[in-house]
């Protein structure tokens, strides 16, 4: 049996930099990876999906340019679109391998499992180390639908291998993966139908977010089936048939995007005393520590908000903790985005979440149709909302639905991190005419409320909104 200073299981977004940094500092680091290096983000998540959406949204915008008086005929070279996606993905993937090798990390290309306390085995390698970090991520949760397993359905794993544009696409699932990829293929030319079990898409978001996306999707010609159950899946002569509780739908491709499950089954976590919760996620404390001494878990498998920037920030914090600093994981402001068009940018708490925590909160909402830039550019679907604490005036959260909302929401990330009040945003002089200019206008809406305490200097007319 080998010994090392650090074992990392999984080359996810936190595991790669953690392994590289410590190896560069001279520690003996062994990293186990059972699949391609770089994990979900690089290979079958963020990178390929966003490269794919760049093409899809370009096609969508070209079609929508009609309303600006520009008439175009969109012709999609689907093989070229997907080839570009795969080549970006491959270049990112190669960069990961090089980074780990240059740092001196020993890479074991095998599925890892615990063989005892802080002892990990995979392939023909067994290693023991005082510190083990689990960064094994998640994979698609496939529902037990009759007939599904026998069909060549797509998940986010196989989606980016598509060589031809399916004339008709069926999507099961109204979460962000189904929506992004579904809208993407629709914009490239597939007739798309999305089957949703509940009564709205993105059901963890505020109702207005779901309603706005439905409007946008309908403009793209996407058919949404709400409150619909898939009872049977069949595949014959290149056609999928979904038997629904109400009717039947058909398509040449079927994307299953019904959620994620943690990659913890293969770990044999019990052998090292690591406990899982009832959904299989690794239990951790505020220092990423599992129930076994010396074993830590970061990223999606530890049940945290499943985003690349979270896993990466876990790495920074865990590195500090392992280096003897006092850091925790919970004192951070997190945000995320959905890359549909319009985009959804979220940070901090919604009004409902704040009130559930007993905070005396209120919100202001500005419709995109009130924002000069949005009208000028023809992207007037959506809204900006900010939640504040009435007692402290601090900004608690924001929901932005609109063009490039994923970029603009960063203003709120920094403001909340800084503990800023809404008055600070209100008196900021933002550039005209921009989407960002609407943010002080949004804050200004809070002035009319009797509880508000406006601070000078104030402008009599909000610019950037009508
Ligand atoms: C379609 C899609 C789009 C996404 N888009 C975004 C986005 O735009 N922005 C964003 O922030 N996030 C996005 N995500 C989420 C993001 O990809 C993940 O949150 C991110 O990769 C962090 O994951 P991680 O570090 O926990 O592990 P992962 O990146 O999932 O890596 C885990 C690695 O561990 C390996 N592994 C698992 N078990 C074992 C084992 N027993 N032995 C050895 N190796 C093992 C896996 O093979 C994998 O390589 C997207 C995800 C998907 C699926």
């Amino acid at each position: 049996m080998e010994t090392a200073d650090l074992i990392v299981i999984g080359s996810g977004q936190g595991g790669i930099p953690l392994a590289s940094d410590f190896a560069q500092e001279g520690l003996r680091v062994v990293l186990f990876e059972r699949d391609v290096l770089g994990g979900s983000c690089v290979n079958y998540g963020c990178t390929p999906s966003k490269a794919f959406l760049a093409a899809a949204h370009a096609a969508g915008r070209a079609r929508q340019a009609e309303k600006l008086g520009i008439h175009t005929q969109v012709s999609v070279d689907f093989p070229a679109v997907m080839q570009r996606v795969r080549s970006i993905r491959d270049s990112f993937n190669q960069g990961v391998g090089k980074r780990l090798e240059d740092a001196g990390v020993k890479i074991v290309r095998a599925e890892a499992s615990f063989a005892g306390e802080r002892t990990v085995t995979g392939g023909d390698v067994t290693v023991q180390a005082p510190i083990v970090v689990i960064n094994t991520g998640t994979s698609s949760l496939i529902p037990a639908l009759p007939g599904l397993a026998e069909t060549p359905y797509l998940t986010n794993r196989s989606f980016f291998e598509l060589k031809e544009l399916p004339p008709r696409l069926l999507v099961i699932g109204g979460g962000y993966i189904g929506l992004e990829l579904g809208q993407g293929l629709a914009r490239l030319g597939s007739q798309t139908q999305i089957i949703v079990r509940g009564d709205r898409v993105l059901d963890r978001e505020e109702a207005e977010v779901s309603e706005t996306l439905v409007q946008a999707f309908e403009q793209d010609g996407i058919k949404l089936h709400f409150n619909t159950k898939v009872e049977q899946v069949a595949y014959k002569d290149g056609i999928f048939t979904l038997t629904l509780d109400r009717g039947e739908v058909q398509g040449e491709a079927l994307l299953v995007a019904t959620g994620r499950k943690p990659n913890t089954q293969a770990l044999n976590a019990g052998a090292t005393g690591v406990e899982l919760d009832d959904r299989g996620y690794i239990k951790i404390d505020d220092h990423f520590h599992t129930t076994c001494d010396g074993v830590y878990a970061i990223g999606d498998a530890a049940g945290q908000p499943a985003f690349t920037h979270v896993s990466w920030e876990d790495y920074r914090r865990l590195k500090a903790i392992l280096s003897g600093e006092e850091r925790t994981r919970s004192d951070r402001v997190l945000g995320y985005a959905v890359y549909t068009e319009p985009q959804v940018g979220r940070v901090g708490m919604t009004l409902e979440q704040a009130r559930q925590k007993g905070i005396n909160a209120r919100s202001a909402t500005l419709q995109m149709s009130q924002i000069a830039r949005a009208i000028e550019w023809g992207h007037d679907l959506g809204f900006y909302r900010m939640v504040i604490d009435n007692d402290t005036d601090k900004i608690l959260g924001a929901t932005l639905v609109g063009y490039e909302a994923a970029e603009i929401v960063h203003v709120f990330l920094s403001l909340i991190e800084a503990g800023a009040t809404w008055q600070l945003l209100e008196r900021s002089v933002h550039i005209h005419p921009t989407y960002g200019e609407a943010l002080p206008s949004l804050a200004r809406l809070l002035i009319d409320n009797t509880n508000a305490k406006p601070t000078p200097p104030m402008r009599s007319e909000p610019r950037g909104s009508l």
Side-chain angles (χ1 to χ4, degrees):
M1 182 166 63
E2 287 181 37
T3 57
D5 298 307
L6 169 69
I7 299 170
V8 176
I9 308 179
S11 62
Q13 291 303 301
I16 299 162
L18 194 77
S20 313
D21 283 8
F22 280 123
Q24 255 163 353
E25 287 176 16
L27 299 191
R28 284 165 303 149
V29 182
V30 178
L31 179 140
F32 287 85
E33 173 53 62
R34 69 179 180 188
D35 200 332
V36 272
L37 289 170
S40 318
C41 181
V42 171
N43 297 293
Y44 35 88
C46 335
T47 303
S49 64
K50 271 72 229 182
F52 167 76
L53 289 177
H57 291 323
R61 285 171 203 161
R63 289 202 177 89
Q64 288 181 357
E66 292 258 321
K67 64 181 178 193
L68 307 177
I70 307 297
H71 304 284
T72 52
Q73 268 227 312
V74 176
S75 156
V76 173
D77 181 348
F78 191 72
V81 168
M82 298 310 277
Q83 192 44 50
R84 173 180 173 273
V85 169
R86 289 188 287 268
S87 92
I88 293 173
R89 172 197 68 186
D90 294 346
S91 74
F92 279 31
N93 165 280
Q94 283 153 18
V96 171
K98 186 164 179 346
R99 178 175 180 182
L100 290 167
E101 276 160 25
D102 288 353
V105 175
K106 174 172 176 172
I107 304 169
V108 181
R109 305 298 294 261
E111 183 167 83
S113 61
F114 285 95
E117 277 205 2
R118 292 173 295 279
T119 306
V120 178
T121 187
D124 53 7
V125 179
T126 300
V127 198
Q128 193 171 51
I131 308 286
V132 182
V133 177
I134 305 170
N135 180 214
T136 49
T138 59
S139 31
S140 304
L141 179 68
I142 305 299
L145 296 175
L148 178 66
E150 294 83 56
T151 69
Y153 63 87
L154 298 168
T155 66
N156 67 292
R157 275 309 295 250
S158 42
F159 183 90
F160 304 106
E161 303 308 323
L162 274 175
K163 303 283 185 304
E164 283 172 24
L165 181 74
R168 293 171 299 172
L169 170 72
L170 304 172
V171 180
I172 308 180
Y176 85 90
I177 295 176
L179 296 188
E180 288 183 0
L181 300 182
Q183 188 187 32
L185 271 193
R187 288 186 148 202
L188 291 172
S190 293
Q191 251 180 46
T192 300
Q193 305 194 54
I194 304 182
I195 292 83
V196 185
R197 198 173 42 182
D199 58 2
R200 59 195 188 89
V201 294
L202 294 184
D203 59 5
R204 288 187 207 154
E205 304 301 332
E206 294 143 279
E208 296 92 325
V209 173
S210 316
E211 286 155 17
T212 308
L213 289 191
V214 168
Q215 270 189 58
F217 276 36
E218 283 171 357
Q219 284 173 12
D220 278 325
I222 297 169
K223 186 164 171 39
L224 290 136
H225 300 258
F226 289 106
N227 299 310
T228 302
K229 216 174 130 206
V230 180
E231 292 185 334
Q232 174 92 34
V233 182
Y235 181 73
K236 196 166 171 241
D237 301 332
I239 308 281
F240 287 89
T241 304
L242 302 189
T243 309
L244 309 175
D245 50 357
R246 277 165 296 143
E248 196 179 89
V249 286
Q250 289 193 317
E252 285 72 22
L254 169 65
L255 172 66
V256 178
T258 45
R260 313 285 302 164
K261 62 169 190 222
N263 292 329
T264 51
Q265 308 89 324
L267 283 176
N268 191 25
T272 192
V274 166
E275 284 176 24
L276 309 179
D277 70 13
D278 51 7
R279 293 168 61 219
Y281 287 92
I282 300 164
K283 288 187 188 173
I284 53 169
D285 66 12
D286 210 20
H287 297 91
F288 306 97
H289 206 218
T290 68
T291 47
C292 173
D293 234 18
V295 181
Y296 298 83
I298 55 176
D300 299 3
Q304 307 200 73
F307 299 103
T308 285
H309 46 280
V310 178
S311 184
W312 189 79
E313 179 60 19
D314 285 358
Y315 132 73
R316 292 209 315 156
R317 290 179 182 229
L318 179 58
K319 186 182 169 196
I321 290 167
L322 294 176
S323 307
E325 286 175 41
E326 176 45 41
R327 294 298 298 274
T328 57
R329 84 184 153 95
S330 51
D331 63 331
R332 54 187 176 183
V333 182
L334 293 178
Y336 55 89
V338 180
Y339 296 85
T340 46
E341 221 162 76
Q343 292 178 353
V344 182
R346 278 275 303 111
V347 53
M349 286 182 255
T350 63
L351 184 63
E352 198 185 334
Q353 287 165 346
R355 287 186 172 158
Q356 273 168 2
K357 284 186 175 230
I359 299 171
N360 173 19
R362 70 190 161 112
S363 66
T365 304
L366 184 62
Q367 296 300 323
M368 292 301 279
S369 56
Q370 300 285 105
I371 297 171
R373 171 72 159 187
I375 297 166
E376 289 154 6
W377 282 66
H379 297 132
D380 52 0
L381 187 61
F383 62 91
Y384 288 176
R385 175 171 298 151
M386 171 170 58
V387 180
I388 61 139
D389 184 330
N390 263 326
D391 299 332
T392 63
D393 289 335
K394 285 190 176 173
I395 302 170
L396 300 175
T399 303
L400 310 186
V401 184
Y403 186 72
E404 297 296 346
E407 306 296 334
I408 297 149
V409 81
H410 284 86
V411 173
F412 286 101
L413 269 168
S414 301
L415 286 172
I416 298 174
E417 190 72 52
T421 63
W422 64 268
Q423 288 94 341
L424 186 138
L425 180 60
E426 189 277 327
R427 64 173 183 255
S428 306
V429 185
H430 285 197
I431 297 163
H432 178 77
T434 61
Y435 291 99
E437 184 191 25
L439 302 182
S441 303
L442 173 65
R444 218 154 282 141
L445 294 175
L446 292 160
I447 293 173
D448 294 336
N449 189 301
T450 45
N451 287 327
K453 301 174 216 146
T455 52
M458 284 195 28
R459 282 177 286 160
S460 53
E461 286 297 315
R463 285 188 320 174
S465 76
L466 297 178

